C-alpha cells in the first residue's frame, strides 16, 4: 500500500497491461537501435534501463510509478530479436543452439528465482505494509538494480 492506496484488481491489471505492452512494442525500437549503433550498445543500454527500473521499484510511492517501473523492467527480456542478430554475427554455427538455449535458460532462471526470493526477503526485512525500512520489496528492487548494474559494467568493457 502506498499512502493508503489499495493494491486492488485495477492496480494489478495496470501493472500486467503495462508489462505486456512494453514486451510487445519494445523489440521494434530495440532493433532499430541495434541497426543504428550495434547490438552490444543495446545490451548495455537495456541493462542500465533494468538497473533504473529496480531503483524506481524499490522506492515507488504509487501504483502508476510502480506500473511504469514494472514496464521498464520488462524491456530487457524484449531483446530477443537483437540477441538473435548478435548470435548470428558472433557465435559459430556449431555453438548457436547451445548459446541460444543458455541465454533462454538464464532468463527463465531469473524468472524462477525471483518468486522464491520474494518471500525470503519479506521474511528477513518485512513487507511494505509493516512500516519497516528497508522492507523486502526495497531490498529486492535494489538487488535487481545491482545485478543489472553489474551486467552493464561487464558489458561496457566489451564495447
Amino acid at each position: 500500500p502506498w499512502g493508503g492506496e489499495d493494491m486492488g484488481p485495477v492496480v494489478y491489471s495496470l501493472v500486467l497491461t503495462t508489462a505486456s505492452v512494453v514486451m510487445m512494442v519494445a523489440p521494434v525500437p530495440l532493433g532499430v537501435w541495434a541497426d543504428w549503433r550495434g547490438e552490444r550498445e543495446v545490451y548495455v543500454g537495456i541493462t542500465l534501463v533494468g538497473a533504473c527500473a529496480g531503483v524506481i521499484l524499490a522506492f515507488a510511492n504509487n501504483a502508476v510509478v510502480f506500473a511504469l517501473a514494472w514496464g521498464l523492467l520488462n524491456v530487457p527480456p524484449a531483446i530477443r530479436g537483437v540477441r538473435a542478430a548478435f548470435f548470428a554475427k558472433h557465435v559459430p554455427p556449431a555453438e548457436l543452439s547451445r548459446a541460444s538455449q543458455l541465454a533462454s535458460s538464464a532468463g527463465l532462471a531469473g524468472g524462477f528465482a525471483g518468486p522464491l526470493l520474494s518471500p525470503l526477503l519479506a521474511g528477513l526485512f518485512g513487507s511494505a505494509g509493516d512500516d519497516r525500512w528497508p522492507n523486502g520489496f526495497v531490498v529486492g528492487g535494489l538487488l535487481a538494480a545491482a545485478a543489472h548494474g553489474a551486467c552493464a559494467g561487464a558489458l561496457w568493457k566489451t564495447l
Side-chain angles (χ1 to χ4, degrees):
W2 300 290
E5 196 171 333
D6 185 24
M7 284 286 290
V10 173
V11 173
Y12 288 119
S13 64
L14 176 66
V15 169
L16 293 175
T17 301
T18 302
S20 295
V21 168
V22 168
M23 289 286 289
M24 182 177 60
V25 174
V28 174
L30 290 175
V32 171
W33 183 12
D35 286 344
W36 181 48
R37 302 282 300 184
E39 298 89 0
R40 287 180 192 255
E41 184 176 298
V42 176
Y43 273 110
V44 171
I46 64 162
T47 55
L48 291 174
V49 166
C52 291
V55 171
I56 294 168
L57 276 173
F59 299 103
N61 59 359
N62 65 55
V64 173
V65 172
F66 180 84
L68 292 174
W70 192 258
L72 282 176
L73 202 55
N74 279 277
V75 171
I79 198 167
R80 59 193 170 273
V82 175
R83 181 180 68 200
F86 180 80
F87 282 4
K89 287 182 184 177
H90 301 287
V91 176
E95 298 291 321
L96 196 54
S97 178
R98 188 169 66 97
S100 297
Q101 289 302 316
L102 182 61
S104 295
S105 296
L108 292 171
F112 176 75
L116 292 177
L117 286 175
S118 293
L120 176 66
L121 291 174
L124 291 172
F125 294 99
S127 66
D130 63 7
D131 294 328
R132 288 171 55 190
W133 201 94
N135 60 46
F137 200 80
V138 170
V139 173
L142 294 177
L143 284 174
H148 279 89
C151 288
L155 288 166
W156 188 270
K157 294 177 183 178
T158 67
L159 288 177

